[in-house]
């Protein structure tokens, strides 16, 4: 979240996300909500149907208050808290029509972002006790990148670059188009501002050695086997010490993530944290 705050105002992002969500759902008006008397005030609760890590309370709340500022929400948990099945997450009080209109958009944000935080926490817990950190990627839902990257931090993970503008990641196609590892890295150093990191992706230990010889300080080891990762870490620590950040990526699952961490890599990036998501089961019910 700290990195996101440095690049963007998260409050503005929440407002924009919520405005788009409400606009696409409501259109010219909520026809079904007209069944409810306009002066009716009710209370509702949101309950989780499964164990999860809560995330997205600000987005949820903004969906309701955007339609009726007088709506009040009392939270019993905060973002990044672990919640258990059948626990009440919050109580909502206000105009019934506005609450019903905001319900789906609010729950969509809360279910999605809690799912990202929950999945991230599973990976973080799986490598507990190692010196490796879990990081996200740019494989996010269009329009919701900052929200999902915030959710990753609530799950205990760290953010990689936010977008193409705040970091240089030289991948296979960049290397081919630039004419090789050395010219790609050389040009990257020429154009990068002091606060922009430069990372290069390699697919073999030989390419790793070439990249470090060319001055790389941050290397992405793409789709390396466990044996190749161990060889890469051993060679790097012997010849370059701890100054090189090694990141593993590709085909990382909950079943193998600890083995990957135990090879000694500094970071593990996982696109599935934000891409392969099954929403947390939440429900809102009037009291």
């Amino acid at each position: 979240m700290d990195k996101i705050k440095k690049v963007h105002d998260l409050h503005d992002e929440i407002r924009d996300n919520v405005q788009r969500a409400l606009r696409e759902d409501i259109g010219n008006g909520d026809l079904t909500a007209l069944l409810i008397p306009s002066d009716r005030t009710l209370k509702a609760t949101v309950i989780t149907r499964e164990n999860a890590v809560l995330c997205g309370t600000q987005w949820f709340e903004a969906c309701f208050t955007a339609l009726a500022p007088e709506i009040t929400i009392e939270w019993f948990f905060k973002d990044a808290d672990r919640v258990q099945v059948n626990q009440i997450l919050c109580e909502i009080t206000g105009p019934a029509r506005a609450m019903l209109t905001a319900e789906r958009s609010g729950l969509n944000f809360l279910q999605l972002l809690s799912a990202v935080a929950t999945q991230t926490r599973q990976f973080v817990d799986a490598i507990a006790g190692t010196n490796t950190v879990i990081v996200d990627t740019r494989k996010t839902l269009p329009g919701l990148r900052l929200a999902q990257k915030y959710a990753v931090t609530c799950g205990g993970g760290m953010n990689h670059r936010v977008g193409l503008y705040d970091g240089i990641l030289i991948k296979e196609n960049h290397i081919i188009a630039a004419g090789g590892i050395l010219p790609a890295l050389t040009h990257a150093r020429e154009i990068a501002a002091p606060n922009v990191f430069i990372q290069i992706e390699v697919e073999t230990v030989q390419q790793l050695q070439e990249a470090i010889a060319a001055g790389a300080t941050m290397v992405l080891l793409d789709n390396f086997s466990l044996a190749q990762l161990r060889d890469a870490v051993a060679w790097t620590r012997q010849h370059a010490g701890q100054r090189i950040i090694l990141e593993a990526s590709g085909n990382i699952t909950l079943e193998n993530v600890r083995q990957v961490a135990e090879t000694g890599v500094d970071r593990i990036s996982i696109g599935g944290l934000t891409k392969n998501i099954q929403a947390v089961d939440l429900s809102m019910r009037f009291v």
Side-chain angles (χ1 to χ4, degrees):
M1 184 176 177
D2 289 340
K3 180 177 179 180
I4 292 175
K5 280 186 173 180
K6 291 175 183 176
V7 181
H8 291 276
D9 184 332
L10 199 57
H11 295 292
D12 288 346
E13 184 73 10
I14 293 169
R15 180 201 60 212
D16 293 344
N17 289 163
V18 166
Q19 286 178 350
R20 288 195 300 269
L22 293 175
R23 186 168 58 247
E24 73 178 358
D25 199 28
I26 300 172
N28 292 327
D30 181 354
L31 299 178
T32 315
L34 297 177
L35 299 172
I36 313 301
S38 60
D39 60 348
R40 179 159 296 175
T41 297
L42 291 174
K43 176 182 287 188
T45 60
V46 175
I47 298 173
T48 177
R49 303 301 185 185
E50 58 184 298
N51 297 341
V53 174
L54 182 63
C55 183
T57 58
Q58 298 170 82
W59 281 262
F60 180 87
E61 193 162 328
C63 287
F64 287 83
T65 56
L67 299 182
E70 67 269 32
I71 288 177
T72 61
I73 302 180
E74 180 183 5
W75 289 98
F76 304 116
F77 300 92
K78 62 183 184 301
D79 283 359
D81 282 351
R82 295 179 190 258
V83 295
Q84 306 297 316
V85 61
N86 292 329
Q87 284 186 315
I88 296 176
L89 305 182
C90 67
E91 289 183 351
I92 313 165
T93 304
R97 276 191 184 182
M99 289 167 63
L100 287 167
T101 301
E103 175 186 3
R104 176 42 50 204
S105 295
L107 285 177
N108 283 348
F109 282 116
L110 201 62
Q111 290 176 296
L112 168 69
L113 299 182
S114 293
V116 173
T118 300
Q119 183 157 262
T120 303
R121 175 53 63 184
Q122 291 173 342
F123 278 95
V124 170
D125 287 347
I127 65 168
T130 70
N131 294 319
T132 306
V133 297
I134 299 294
V135 299
D136 55 25
T137 71
R138 288 168 44 241
K139 296 178 181 178
T140 54
L141 298 181
L144 291 175
R145 177 164 299 170
L146 297 188
Q148 287 192 281
K149 281 184 171 285
Y150 166 72
V152 166
T153 67
C154 288
M158 294 182 62
N159 298 143
H160 204 293
R161 57 179 177 166
V162 176
L164 296 172
Y165 51 83
D166 68 327
I168 294 177
L169 174 47
I170 306 168
K171 300 176 75 68
E172 178 185 12
N173 284 334
H174 297 102
I175 293 172
I176 293 172
I181 288 176
L182 177 58
L185 280 169
T186 300
H187 194 191
R189 285 192 290 268
E190 291 171 353
I191 65 174
N195 62 332
V196 172
F197 71 80
I198 300 172
Q199 183 179 28
I200 188 165
E201 177 185 280
V202 300
E203 297 178 329
T204 66
V205 174
Q206 181 179 355
Q207 285 185 332
L208 166 67
Q209 295 169 352
E210 184 180 350
I212 292 177
T217 58
M218 190 175 183
V219 183
L220 175 63
L221 309 173
D222 185 44
N223 284 304
F224 275 43
S225 68
L226 291 174
Q228 289 173 319
L229 286 174
R230 283 190 286 268
D231 289 345
V233 172
W235 186 92
T236 302
R237 299 309 175 222
Q238 179 181 352
H239 293 87
Q242 297 294 324
R243 67 181 180 86
I244 308 297
I245 297 174
L246 296 178
E247 177 181 321
S249 184
N251 297 312
I252 309 294
T253 67
L254 278 173
E255 287 68 36
N256 67 16
V257 67
R258 185 167 189 88
Q259 291 176 295
V260 174
E262 289 174 344
T263 65
V265 293
D266 302 289
R267 299 157 37 126
I268 301 174
S269 56
I270 304 171
L273 297 181
T274 51
K275 182 179 62 138
N276 304 330
I277 296 300
Q278 180 175 333
V280 171
D281 188 4
L282 306 175
S283 66
M284 187 182 99
R285 290 290 183 270
F286 280 120
V287 177

